Amino acid sequence: MGETGVPVFVALDVPDAVAARRVVEQLGDAGTHYKVGLELYLATGAGFVRELVEAGKHVFLDLKFHDIPNTVKAAVRQAAQTGAEFLTVHALGGATMLTVAQAAAQEAAQTANARREAVKLLAVTILTSHAASDLEAIGLASTDASAGVLRLAQLAADAGLHGVVCSPREVQSVRTATGLAAMVPGIRPRTATADDQRRVATPAEAVRAGASYLVVGRPVLRAQEPRKALLAIQEEVSGALAHKGE
Ligand code: C5P
């Protein structure tokens, strides 16, 4: 139970290990994939990621590295040691940073007692929180957001990364242009509120658009019955996949 062709990562956007363990316990065997972001990571460190991995969970470590190549290389090596399967880096870090990060992921896998697949690197392109005025303020005035996303995704593809994080709206164009896998947040079942997400899609819409993995936070965490909410999303994903003929 809980495993589908398009895994649903539950975003553990909670402040500490106690709250995170409560979510994991509530979801039980339905919760197979989890995203750990900066908030929880800073509260609990790598120890909690290892705890999830040892419990048989798949972990997406969303720390969005963006630094000089040498620093990112060392950070990717450390992150790989946790057993996380996915890790984010900013494509804005540039081609060299991305290439070095990918090489570090592969090297770390070879030295991890030969038992691990390399941690899969996902590139963050242009943050979906950026409006045109934000891009202008950071000196990317001439950048059309969707063209910028594609250019950065191509940079990630050229560096050999596994995929990108992108909104439901961008999935189709990114996948068609680059062939990269797509980790897609901004998922809202029809019954949920949009919260602060601007570009949302239902689980089925995201799957139909070509999402490889979904990220869902509040629609599960804030549901009256989180496990039921997650199972409903997984069922919708399976239904959409069956429809696509997979
Ligand atoms: O609660 P919600 O389902 O909106 O959570 C989505 C998760 O995905 C959050 O952890 C958020 O940081 C992440 N995310 C996002 N939009 C992006 C990139 C990441 O919502 N563009």
Side-chain angles (χ1 to χ4, degrees):
M1 198 192 291
E3 297 276 2
T4 64
V6 173
V8 179
F9 283 83
V10 175
L12 285 171
D13 293 333
V14 293
D16 54 43
V18 173
R21 287 190 193 109
R22 195 178 310 133
V23 173
V24 172
E25 199 172 305
Q26 273 179 327
L27 298 180
D29 60 358
T32 51
H33 293 70
Y34 288 99
K35 179 176 95 96
V36 174
L38 286 166
E39 181 187 17
L40 184 61
Y41 189 79
L42 287 168
T44 63
F48 187 71
V49 176
R50 290 200 172 91
E51 182 179 321
L52 285 172
V53 171
E54 276 158 26
K57 309 299 184 189
H58 302 263
V59 178
F60 164 23
L61 194 48
D62 187 17
L63 301 181
K64 298 187 177 68
F65 295 155
H66 186 173
D67 211 316
I68 59 170
N70 196 51
T71 301
V72 168
K73 174 179 167 180
V76 168
R77 262 197 217 132
Q78 292 289 347
Q81 302 308 324
T82 64
E85 285 180 27
F86 296 84
L87 176 68
T88 41
V89 296
H90 270 284
L92 281 166
T96 306
M97 191 204 83
L98 294 170
T99 305
V100 164
Q102 183 59 32
Q106 254 133 14
E107 278 162 28
Q110 278 153 20
T111 52
N113 307 326
R115 75 187 172 87
R116 274 190 197 133
E117 250 188 81
V119 59
K120 296 181 179 69
L121 297 187
L122 302 172
V124 175
T125 59
I126 293 176
L127 295 173
T128 48
S129 51
H130 282 330
S133 57
D134 298 305
L135 292 177
E136 194 176 338
I138 56 173
L140 297 175
S142 60
T143 305
D144 161 59
S146 49
V149 167
L150 281 182
R151 192 167 64 235
L152 290 165
Q154 191 56 52
L155 209 60
D158 293 344
L161 269 66
H162 175 75
V164 287
V165 179
C166 66
S167 84
R169 200 181 289 180
E170 295 150 355
V171 180
Q172 213 154 12
S173 58
V174 167
R175 294 212 71 187
T176 307
T178 66
L180 289 171
M183 178 74 79
V184 181
I187 302 301
R188 289 295 178 271
R190 292 218 185 278
T191 50
T193 55
D195 301 310
D196 57 359
Q197 294 283 11
R198 285 198 223 152
R199 307 183 201 162
V200 298
T202 64
E205 284 164 352
V207 167
R208 282 198 294 268
S212 320
Y213 320 95
L214 304 185
V215 180
V216 186
R218 288 161 290 184
V220 169
L221 301 184
R222 296 195 185 162
Q224 291 276 344
E225 295 180 75
R227 182 181 154 85
K228 225 170 146 182
L230 176 58
L231 286 169
I233 291 169
Q234 289 167 339
E235 219 166 275
E236 186 175 331
V237 167
S238 303
L241 282 173
H243 227 249
K244 273 179 88 181
E246 288 190 33

